């Protein structure tokens, strides 16, 4: 379903993704794990037509995200790591806009929106502007929105970031259900190793832009002779903390606040 | 519901919900109108040019539409920084539709602001020469709005963040405004200036608007209209090309 070969992404001198190759099979749940700044989000951007690779090839369902971007976009859904809601619109309006963008027929759209908003306990707040929501509620809405249509491939970039255990549970139940009943291929990243261990059939570990290990959770544990995936992960990637400078988005948010732009 | 329509509607909803911003953005035109309109009035009158308020009001309306459409078009930058842009960029819809929805939304918002200022002008004492020409005036406002919303979208597609905003303001938007004849008549200008003003698309917008509202034309309505339509088409074309190339 996803074929990546010798993929490279450079930002000036810095190589964020350094010659990675992997394959995600049709109908599989695939976890892409790595420390902060390893290059996970950058890879997802290249898979989802948002960024051009410096070199290497990507195939999504046999198509090139650069050449046939429109065809590729028809095939996937995505929950981004960073917020992507419109804070001035209400929760319902955000969902509706998404439904229209993804050509979900009106009748189905109305039903699904109510169902998902209820599922993630946002229905009562549906007519409130999203900028008034708490962080976790915004995150829940992003996830509900990502599940509104049924794509062939679902990308989840740290979907459980900042969520309470109840919602995390709900999310993975939904994802597994989609995977089993609709055959949706899932490509996810997370920093919670227990989640990856529980839901993923196969895992790739990336560090400093390079893939350092691939295999089932079981294989990774055996390979490193550790009992838990968390220990295996630490064995593969070392235990030093990766510090990341404040991103330009954070700076922008602060700037936005300066101007009374509450979003 | 079509994609263009929902994105247009989004711009409108955001506009209607930002009430304080609407009021705040009326401050500047009002200031220009009152300070210049009454301040320069006597000098203008002595020079035998008639009432300055009558002269400057169409210019202030054009200015409002200019600023508002460029800002709304450049709203793209905020959407980029706050992430919503990504949501529309990965959607399985042609990017030209996304671009058109945004741009038409921005243009509509600018029209609304322009109309509000037109009402303010009327309250302050501006009078239209011939009310039957009002539809022509509206048409010109719409043309200005579309042209500069497209320009705003084009700029927003290229700039990576709002740091470049001040640059655009000082070296593009302000010159477009000051060279458009919004504040002073364009006839009898020294050579170079008169050539430069002819390269300013807003000059044709201001002239068209002023002709419709006041009846005195510099370039002729047909020329005004054709230049605006042509430049607007060009900018829409360039804008949608640049928009389709955005990476985040
Ligand atoms: N537009 C950009 N310009 C320059 N550097 C970038 C850009 N985008 C990402 N990077 C850098 O590329 C590296 C990989 O970033 P990426 O966002 O892919 O990490 P990640 O694996 O998703 O990390 P996290 O777990 O923190 O989300 C980081 O060092 C980051 O600073
Ligand atoms: Mg990331």
């Amino acid at each position: 379903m996803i074929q990546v070969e010798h993929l490279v992404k450079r930002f000036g001198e810095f190589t964020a993704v350094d010659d990675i190759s992997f394959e995600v099979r049709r109908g599989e749940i695939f976890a892409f794990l790595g420390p902060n700044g390893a290059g996970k989000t950058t890879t997802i951007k290249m898979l989802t037509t948002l960024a051009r690779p410096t070199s290497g090839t990507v195939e999504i369902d046999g198509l090139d995200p650069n050449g046939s971007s429109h065809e590729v976009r028809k095939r996937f859904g995505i929950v981004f790591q960073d917020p992507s809601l419109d804070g001035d619109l209400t929760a319902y309006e955000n969902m509706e806009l998404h439904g229209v963008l993804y050509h979900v027929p009106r009748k189905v759209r109305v039903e699904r929106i109510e169902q998902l908003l209820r599922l993630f306990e946002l229905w009562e707040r549906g007519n409130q502007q999203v900028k008034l929501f708490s962080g976790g509620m915004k995150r829940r809405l992003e996830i509900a929105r990502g599940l509104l249509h049924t794509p062939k491939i679902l990308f989840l970039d740290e979907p459980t970031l900042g969520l309470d255990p109840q919602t995390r549970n709900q999310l993975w139940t939904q994802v597994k259900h989609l995977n089993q009943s609709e055959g949706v291929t899932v490509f996810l990243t997370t920093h919670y190793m227990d989640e990856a261990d529980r839901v993923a059939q196969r895992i790739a570990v990336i560090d400093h832009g390079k893939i350092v290990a691939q295999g089932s959770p079981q294989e990774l544990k055996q390979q490193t002779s550790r009992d838990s995936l968390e220990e295996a992960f630490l064995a593969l990637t070392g235990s030093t903390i990766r510090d990341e400078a404040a991103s330009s988005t954070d700076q922008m948010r602060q700037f936005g606040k300066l101007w009374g732009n509450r979003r | 519901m079509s994609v263009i329509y929902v994105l247009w509607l989004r711009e409108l909803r955001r506009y209607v919900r930002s009430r304080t911003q609407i009021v705040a953005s009326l401050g500047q035109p009002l200031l220009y109108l009152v300070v210049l309109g009454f301040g320069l009035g006597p000098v203008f009158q002595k020079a035998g040019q008639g009432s300055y308020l009558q002269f400057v009001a169409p210019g202030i309306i054009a200015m409002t539409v200019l600023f508002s459409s460029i800002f709304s078009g450049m709203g793209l930058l905020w959407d980029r920084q706050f992430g919503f842009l990504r949501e529309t960029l990965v959607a399985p819809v042609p990017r030209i539709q996304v671009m058109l929805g945004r741009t038409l939304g921005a243009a509509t918002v600018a029209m609304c602001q322009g109309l509000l200022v037109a009402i303010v002008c009327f309250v302050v004492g501006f009078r239209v020469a011939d009310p039957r020409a009002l539809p022509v005036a509206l048409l010109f406002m719409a043309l200005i709005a579309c042209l500069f919303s497209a320009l705003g979208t084009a700029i927003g597609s290229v700039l990576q963040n709002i740091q470049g905003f001040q640059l655009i303001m000082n070296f593009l938007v302000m010159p477009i405004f000051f060279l458009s004849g919004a504040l002073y008549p364009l006839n009898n200008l020294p050579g170079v200036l008169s050539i430069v003003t002819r390269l300013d698309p807003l000059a044709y917008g201001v002239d068209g608007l002023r002709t419709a509202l006041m009846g005195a034309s510099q370039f002729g309505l047909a020329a005004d209209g054709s230049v605006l339509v042509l430049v607007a088409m060009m900018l829409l074309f360039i804008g949608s090309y640049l928009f389709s190339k955005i990476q985040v």
Side-chain angles (χ1 to χ4, degrees):
Chain A
M1 202 62 173
I2 303 176
Q3 274 285 359
V4 172
E5 262 159 57
H6 302 295
L7 189 63
V8 176
K9 180 72 180 180
R10 284 198 197 94
F11 297 107
E13 294 281 280
F14 178 73
T15 309
V17 174
D18 193 359
D19 193 16
I20 62 171
S21 303
F22 61 87
E23 181 196 6
V24 180
R25 299 182 200 123
R26 194 172 296 267
E28 148 176 276
I29 299 186
F30 185 89
F32 199 48
L33 307 178
N36 290 142
K40 304 180 294 295
T41 301
T42 308
T43 304
I44 291 186
K45 281 186 182 168
M46 290 189 281
L47 301 184
T48 56
T49 77
L50 281 174
R52 275 171 197 283
T54 308
S55 65
T57 58
V58 175
E59 268 183 27
I60 303 284
D61 202 10
L63 297 160
D64 171 13
N66 277 309
S68 353
S69 45
H70 187 63
E71 283 303 310
V72 169
R73 285 179 198 137
K74 283 187 193 161
R75 284 166 170 72
F76 70 82
I78 180 167
V79 173
F80 297 102
Q81 175 180 356
D82 297 322
S84 64
L85 298 164
D86 183 338
D88 287 328
L89 296 186
T90 66
Y92 196 92
E93 287 164 350
N94 268 289
M95 294 289 278
E96 190 173 43
L97 185 60
H98 184 89
V100 175
L101 288 177
Y102 284 82
H103 311 292
V104 182
R106 172 186 287 271
K107 208 168 157 288
V108 185
R109 196 167 70 216
V110 173
E111 281 169 16
R112 284 287 289 165
I113 292 178
E114 173 162 359
Q115 193 187 345
L116 283 164
L117 287 181
R118 281 191 192 282
L119 188 67
F120 288 98
E121 298 188 13
L122 292 166
W123 181 246
E124 271 75 46
R125 309 284 291 267
N127 289 321
Q128 201 172 53
Q129 279 184 311
V130 169
K131 63 181 169 195
L132 305 173
F133 281 15
S134 76
M137 287 166 67
K138 284 184 193 154
R139 199 66 202 146
R140 261 155 41 199
L141 182 58
E142 299 244 12
I143 286 161
R145 190 180 68 176
L147 299 175
L148 185 55
H149 73 295
T150 310
K152 281 190 170 176
I153 310 173
L154 184 58
F155 288 95
L156 302 168
D157 195 356
E158 293 187 34
T160 49
L161 190 80
L163 286 182
D164 54 32
Q166 291 89 330
T167 318
R168 264 191 267 165
N169 227 331
Q170 194 62 264
L171 165 71
W172 294 124
T173 310
Q174 289 299 311
V175 168
K176 275 188 166 167
H177 175 76
L178 271 178
N179 174 257
Q180 274 153 19
S181 66
E182 314 272 344
V184 175
T185 307
V186 181
F187 184 104
L188 66 95
T189 77
T190 178
H191 289 300
Y192 300 103
M193 294 302 137
D194 55 314
E195 287 180 348
D197 203 359
R198 208 147 36 92
V199 299
Q201 282 132 31
R202 270 180 348 110
I203 291 173
V205 178
I206 181 173
D207 194 13
H208 296 298
K210 284 189 173 19
I211 290 188
V212 293
Q214 275 191 71
S216 69
Q218 210 49 47
E219 283 165 1
L220 292 186
K221 285 179 226 169
Q222 274 163 12
Q223 200 181 318
T224 51
S225 17
R226 298 293 198 286
D227 298 334
S228 73
L229 190 60
E230 179 133 5
E231 287 168 32
F233 179 82
L234 288 174
L236 286 164
T237 57
S239 48
T240 46
I241 294 172
R242 319 300 154 95
D243 64 339
E244 284 283 286
S247 71
S248 71
T249 308
D250 292 333
Q251 288 167 12
M252 274 296 308
R253 286 217 181 81
Q254 277 163 7
F255 194 85
K257 269 186 202 140
L258 217 63
W259 293 94
N261 201 330
R262 285 182 292 115
R263 255 181 284 175
Chain B
M1 243 195 299
S2 99
V3 171
I4 297 180
Y5 171 71
V6 282
L7 289 170
W8 172 84
L9 188 64
R10 164 183 182 252
E11 298 293 328
L12 241 72
R13 281 179 168 149
R14 289 162 63 88
Y15 172 66
V16 175
R17 283 169 199 177
S18 59
R19 290 213 187 84
T20 43
Q21 232 167 323
I22 297 175
V23 176
S25 61
L26 288 181
Q28 191 188 20
L30 191 65
L31 196 70
Y32 270 85
L33 197 65
V34 172
V35 172
L36 295 181
F38 293 107
L40 292 178
V43 185
F44 204 69
Q45 196 104 42
K46 267 198 194 122
Q49 299 270 11
S51 157
Y52 188 61
L53 182 70
Q54 293 292 324
F55 175 84
V56 84
I60 300 300
I61 296 171
M63 172 192 88
T64 311
V65 178
L66 165 77
F67 285 177
S68 178
S69 49
I70 291 223
F71 290 158
S72 307
M74 285 176 73
L76 191 57
L77 286 177
W78 271 264
D79 282 347
R80 184 197 281 269
Q81 292 298 343
F82 293 101
F84 180 75
L85 184 63
R86 270 194 305 257
E87 155 80 356
T88 55
L89 290 186
V90 293
V93 292
R95 282 202 184 169
I96 178 145
Q97 290 186 14
V98 179
M99 189 272 182
L100 281 179
R102 297 188 67 101
T103 307
L104 291 178
T108 311
V109 166
M111 273 295 275
C112 295
Q113 282 296 104
L115 286 174
L116 281 181
V117 169
I119 293 169
V120 171
C121 290
F122 189 78
V123 171
V124 175
F126 173 67
R127 289 298 173 268
V128 178
D130 181 2
R132 279 171 303 176
L134 277 180
V136 182
L138 286 180
L139 181 72
F140 272 97
M141 280 169 71
L143 282 175
I144 299 173
C146 287
L147 193 157
F148 289 105
S149 300
L151 181 62
T153 311
I155 295 170
S157 307
V158 181
L159 286 185
Q160 291 299 314
N161 49 46
I162 64 161
Q163 265 87 314
F165 190 78
Q166 204 59 30
L167 204 71
I168 298 295
M169 221 26 225
N170 291 340
F171 290 97
L172 191 74
V173 183
M174 291 320 270
I176 285 178
F177 168 53
F178 283 119
L179 293 170
S180 68
L183 298 180
Y184 50 84
L186 291 183
N187 43 2
N188 305 325
L189 288 182
V192 183
L193 201 58
S194 110
I195 293 169
V196 178
T197 54
R198 277 167 185 272
L199 294 176
D200 181 351
L202 187 64
Y204 301 88
V206 169
D207 190 52
L209 201 55
R210 194 168 279 147
T211 309
L213 294 173
M214 304 297 305
S217 183
Q218 174 89 4
F219 309 118
L221 271 188
D224 290 334
S226 339
V227 169
L228 288 177
V229 170
L230 222 73
V231 177
M233 301 276 274
M234 230 168 64
L235 286 174
L236 273 174
F237 187 77
I238 296 172
S240 45
Y241 173 78
L242 293 174
F243 190 82
S244 75
K245 293 284 167 229
I246 295 182
Q247 297 190 36
V248 287

